Amino acid sequence: MISHFVQEQPNKWSLHLKYVLFAYNTAINDTTKNTPFYLLHGYNPKFIFDHNFISTETSPEILLELEKLKNIRDELRKLLADRYLKNKKHYDSNKVQVKFKLNEKVLIKDERRKSKFAYRYNGPFKIMKQVSDVTYVVEIIKNGQLVNEYKHVSQLKKYKER
């Protein structure tokens, strides 16, 4: 958002920061249907032309505002839970659950490849046991010795014999 204001003078971005921050905090969020400022404080921010210099609020009015804020936050929890379930359903519809069997051969993703032409996976290695739905113990060779390591299913790939 700030890039729109600093195209001509990129070194003076800090002069625009408070205005961009105010714009962000007063923009309505698609998920919560409220502004971040409103969710934090329970009311929308007042612009300079919104100020009405009349008497201060009384205690019962403050209590009503606090109750209103509590209700807003409760509603927010429901909205976020609904959005979470919607996003989870969408994510799960494209996700395939991978299962490995005991003694099955797998390849392990190499996180420290030295070049882009190096193999992405090392192996094959043997599955020793399943710890959870997404964690397996794999027998690997490290420094010339067989070692059991815990690996997440995202780091494993089925080995296909040729």
Side-chain angles (χ1 to χ4, degrees):
M1 186 186 289
I2 200 166
S3 63
H4 298 288
F5 299 104
V6 296
Q7 289 297 320
E8 287 130 27
Q9 296 177 324
N11 293 336
K12 303 219 176 189
W13 63 269
S14 61
L15 298 175
H16 302 282
L17 191 59
K18 61 184 173 184
Y19 303 113
V20 172
L21 196 58
F22 185 79
Y24 174 79
N25 284 328
T26 57
I28 295 176
N29 183 290
D30 187 44
T31 302
T32 63
K33 307 287 189 246
N34 286 301
T35 65
F37 189 95
Y38 185 78
L39 295 173
L40 184 62
H41 301 286
Y43 60 91
N44 284 316
K46 299 196 186 259
F47 297 96
I48 190 69
F49 48 83
D50 289 340
H51 286 287
N52 188 0
F53 298 103
I54 306 180
S55 66
T56 59
E57 296 179 10
T58 59
S59 183
E61 291 173 352
I62 292 173
L63 292 175
L64 285 174
E65 290 298 318
L66 288 173
E67 185 64 31
K68 185 172 139 185
L69 182 60
K70 181 183 174 291
N71 293 336
I72 290 167
R73 289 184 178 157
D74 290 341
E75 182 66 27
L76 176 63
R77 280 190 197 96
K78 292 174 190 168
L79 286 171
L80 290 176
D82 290 346
R83 181 59 74 150
Y84 168 77
L85 291 174
K86 181 180 175 185
N87 290 344
K88 182 180 180 343
K89 182 180 175 185
H90 177 71
Y91 176 81
D92 289 345
S93 69
N94 298 324
K95 197 70 176 163
V96 177
Q97 185 73 11
V98 180
K99 294 282 185 188
F100 297 105
K101 298 174 187 149
L102 290 179
N103 296 321
E104 184 176 0
K105 291 183 179 178
V106 294
L107 299 174
I108 297 176
K109 191 174 195 173
D110 187 3
E111 300 292 333
R112 295 171 278 156
R113 291 190 307 158
K114 293 184 175 60
S115 76
K116 66 180 179 178
F117 299 113
Y119 290 121
R120 290 191 172 121
Y121 290 89
N122 295 326
F125 301 107
K126 193 166 48 168
I127 298 284
M128 298 308 290
K129 81 176 186 184
Q130 182 176 358
V131 179
S132 70
D133 288 342
V134 294
T135 307
Y136 291 89
V137 175
V138 181
E139 184 179 67
I140 66 169
I141 300 171
K142 199 177 244 185
N143 298 331
Q145 294 182 330
L146 286 176
V147 179
N148 290 337
E149 281 194 5
Y150 290 86
K151 294 291 180 183
H152 190 269
V153 74
S154 65
Q155 295 177 320
L156 301 175
K157 180 178 176 181
K158 289 190 182 207
Y159 176 71
K160 296 175 184 160
E161 298 273 347
R162 293 187 179 170

